[in-house]
Amino acid sequence: MDLVLIEALKVDTVIGVYDWERTLTQTLELDLELATDIRPAAAADDLARTLDYAAISERIAAFGATSAFALVETFAERLAALLQQEFGIPWLRLTLRKPGAVSAARAVGVSITRGIWHEAN
Ligand SMILES: Nc1nc2c(c(=O)[nH]1)N=C([C@H](O)[C@@H](O)CO)CN2
């Protein structure tokens, strides 16, 4: 398997457990590693045969705009499931950072891997 990458994607969303966090939008930062076999797309030079990182980035922005979770864990879990289902992604790693949430830290967040990795043949 190969990886399609999306790094440091900024996503605006309502997120947080405290009352003040329910009244505003905050910006999360996402890194994604999306498993796929890139050889068919490379052989045909055809976007339709790979994971379109632009389309996926737009879908993530829409997900953020319409969600309002308390925990970053919930955001990450629901987004991972949505991406796997809608784009047919067999394995992914999603790292989510919430900059500014802990003033002494550059960022806090979670990193999850979901799905099954298939070795290339
Ligand atoms: N493991 C987590 N810890 C905390 C979360 C979270 O989503 N997951 N959230 C908060 C608050 O919303 C915080 O980010 C506000 O600054 C605290 N801890």
Side-chain angles (χ1 to χ4, degrees), residues 15-18 20-21 70-73 98 100-102 110:
I15 186 97
V17 299
Y18 301 126
W20 65 266
E21 296 188 281
L71 298 178
V72 294
E73 284 86 344
K98 189 176 182 183
V102 173
V110 293

Side-chain angles (χ1 to χ4, degrees), residues 24 37 91 108 112:
L24 48 74
D37 183 351
W91 180 98
V108 292
I112 64 174

Side-chain angles (χ1 to χ4, degrees), residues 5-88:
L5 304 176
I6 302 173
E7 293 187 358
L9 180 69
K10 290 182 167 44
V11 182
D12 294 332
T13 191
V14 174
I15 186 97
V17 299
Y18 301 126
D19 287 346
W20 65 266
E21 296 188 281
R22 312 309 306 164
T23 66
L24 48 74
T25 295
Q26 300 185 73
T27 303
L28 303 175
E29 196 171 288
L30 271 56
D31 292 333
L32 293 112
E33 297 174 43
L34 310 170
T36 190
D37 183 351
I38 70 162
R39 290 173 293 188
D45 200 23
D46 181 6
L47 176 62
R49 298 179 193 222
T50 186
L51 297 172
D52 180 348
Y53 49 69
I56 293 171
S57 297
E58 286 179 14
R59 184 66 183 94
I60 294 171
F63 176 80
T66 56
S67 65
F69 299 114
L71 298 178
V72 294
E73 284 86 344
T74 315
F75 187 101
E77 193 69 48
R78 300 281 181 86
L79 177 59
L82 176 154
L83 293 176
Q84 286 198 274
Q85 183 182 3
E86 291 191 9
F87 293 93

Side-chain angles (χ1 to χ4, degrees), residues 3 33-35 84 89-93 113-117:
L3 293 171
E33 297 174 43
L34 310 170
Q84 286 198 274
I89 300 168
W91 180 98
L92 63 79
R93 174 174 290 125
T113 59
R114 293 292 178 269
I116 298 169
W117 180 273

